[in-house]
Amino acid sequence: MAESRTSADGGMETSYGFRDVAVGEKQGLVNEVFHKVAKRYDIMNDVMSAGLHRVWKDALVAALNPRKEESYKVLDVAGGTGDIAFRIVEASNRLAHATVLDINGSMLAVGAERAEKKGLSDNLTFVEANAEELPFEANTFDAYTIAFGIRNVPRIDVALSEAFRVLKRGGRLLVLEFSEVEMPLLDKFYDQWSFKAIPRFGKMITGESEPYQYLVESIRKFPNQEAFAAMIRSAGFSRVTFTNYTGGIAALHSGWKI
């Protein structure tokens, strides 16, 4: 069934929402989605999560608890608009340095503009690159974060291996992603909200419903909590755990490079 979730064995690399695509085709299609929504990305996340993404992102940063040191380096992947990176820098009393990496230049342009307005440019570096081929040496970063972006990476296993490579020993991986709802009544409501309301709101906000249709479908294709945790372990991470938020609508996955 096209709508069934992929497993720890893979499948997201040829899944563009509920549509099967050729190997190598997904990345271009995803890029087009984010070019379309870049300037309204925060509004998009508000629509997708009913505003709860802000609470979940705060929880990610609280779990990370970044050190208040200038030597602390974090890599935020698929974080073009800076949402997570800004929070991390502020939580470090503006001492930490965050590298924001995104494959989409439109998203990075929004983030760089926002950083300038917030007076955070000195604490941030914006890099346009692919999560599957990180342009950094091994053992570079104290933390690797990615929020609502891993499901858009075609080869998730490769991206996780790259995360492991660039982290220092003792470094931490934190992945925040929409996941499988585990409450019987909530899952039915969430399905109705996702497939009926979100594309309509997206069309009202941006004039297009297709990007939102892809995004809600991609959530349903992404591996569930246990399967994704298994993928993190397979990449070499230890002490892998996850915490469900709002009944499993989102989950925060954690792993350590030991």
Side-chain angles (χ1 to χ4, degrees):
M1 182 177 180
E3 292 82 353
S4 61
R5 290 184 181 275
T6 56
S7 70
D9 296 325
M12 289 296 284
E13 62 274 14
T14 56
S15 168
Y16 179 71
F18 292 160
R19 200 173 110 207
D20 290 330
V21 296
V23 173
E25 186 180 356
K26 177 177 177 175
Q27 190 65 70
L29 294 169
V30 172
N31 287 351
E32 187 59 29
V33 166
F34 285 94
H35 282 307
K36 290 177 179 177
V37 303
K39 292 188 180 299
R40 298 178 177 87
Y41 184 67
D42 287 339
I43 298 174
M44 181 194 78
N45 275 337
D46 282 329
V47 170
M48 295 283 290
S49 70
L52 287 168
H53 73 100
R54 301 174 190 273
V55 177
W56 300 333
K57 288 173 180 175
D58 286 342
L60 181 157
V61 176
L64 179 62
N65 191 23
R67 295 199 306 271
K68 298 174 176 60
E69 300 173 6
E70 292 182 0
S71 62
Y72 188 80
K73 294 182 179 179
V74 60
L75 175 64
D76 184 46
V77 176
T81 60
D83 243 14
I84 296 295
F86 298 159
R87 285 171 164 82
I88 291 171
V89 169
E90 294 288 10
S92 75
N93 291 344
R94 299 198 171 199
L95 292 173
H97 188 89
T99 298
V100 180
L101 183 140
D102 204 298
I103 200 169
N104 192 291
S106 298
M107 298 286 282
L108 288 167
V110 172
E113 182 179 346
R114 291 179 65 197
E116 187 70 30
K117 290 179 180 177
K118 290 175 177 288
L120 294 174
S121 296
D122 290 345
N123 297 83
L124 296 158
T125 301
F126 290 87
V127 176
E128 186 172 347
N130 192 325
E132 298 176 6
E133 299 177 70
L134 298 177
F136 310 111
E137 294 183 1
N139 308 308
T140 297
F141 297 96
D142 297 287
Y144 175 116
T145 59
I146 180 167
F148 306 117
I150 195 74
R151 74 182 191 281
N152 298 310
V153 177
R155 296 184 298 166
I156 293 172
D157 57 335
V158 175
L160 291 172
S161 294
E162 277 290 88
F164 188 85
R165 181 183 68 81
V166 302
L167 279 170
K168 299 175 183 177
R169 290 289 170 185
R172 191 177 187 188
L173 168 78
L174 284 172
V175 182
L176 179 63
E177 189 53 85
F178 290 109
S179 201
E180 185 172 62
V181 178
E182 297 184 338
M183 296 174 65
L185 294 178
L186 181 60
D187 67 344
K188 290 181 172 53
F189 168 79
Y190 187 56
D191 276 347
Q192 289 297 311
W193 172 255
S194 297
F195 291 103
K196 302 295 184 183
I198 287 176
R200 291 178 184 173
F201 278 119
K203 187 171 181 62
M204 290 168 57
I205 294 166
T206 67
E208 296 188 69
S209 61
E210 192 275 334
Y212 292 83
Q213 189 68 36
Y214 157 72
L215 290 166
V216 297
E217 290 178 2
S218 68
I219 292 169
R220 297 313 190 282
K221 294 295 289 186
F222 188 71
N224 67 16
Q225 291 90 324
E226 293 289 353
F228 185 56
M231 295 181 75
I232 295 173
R233 291 188 192 96
S234 293
F237 288 95
S238 302
R239 293 165 56 191
V240 175
T241 60
F242 65 84
T243 302
N244 282 334
Y245 297 145
T246 320
I249 290 177
L252 178 65
H253 284 79
S254 171
W256 297 83
K257 181 176 178 177
I258 297 175

